[in-house]
Amino acid sequence: GVPYDVVLEMEEINDDFEETDTVLVIGANDTVNSAAIDDPNSIIAGMPVLEVWHAKNVVIFKRTMAAGYAGVDNPVFFKPNTAMLLGDAKDTCDKLKAALLEK
């Protein structure tokens, strides 16, 4: 797990994304759905979200391209600064870690 003393609230972290090189989104993809801000007609309009799309690069770990829990498509998936890593997130993280350790 992640120690609570290093976890930030959304209001604390959202301003940092514009200066962030890469964001890894692992699970809870509805919490990074830009439709909550950009689409006033969305069923998630007004929901607090992590504005990861402001980072230089976004990597989303997801099993499939299916909509998340809210059943809403996520425009962040299709932004030019977003890459999708489809498959089991734990397996993918383990492979990435192994590849980085080889360097």
Side-chain angles (χ1 to χ4, degrees), residues 30-40 42-49 53 72-75:
D30 286 332
T31 64
V32 298
N33 192 327
S34 61
I37 293 173
D38 297 338
D39 183 357
S42 173
I43 63 169
I44 62 168
M47 181 179 97
V49 292
W53 57 92
V72 178
D73 287 333
N74 190 334

Side-chain angles (χ1 to χ4, degrees), residues 41-61:
N41 297 314
S42 173
I43 63 169
I44 62 168
M47 181 179 97
V49 292
L50 293 163
E51 299 174 21
V52 298
W53 57 92
H54 294 297
K56 292 177 187 78
N57 301 287
V58 180
V59 180
I60 298 179
F61 293 71

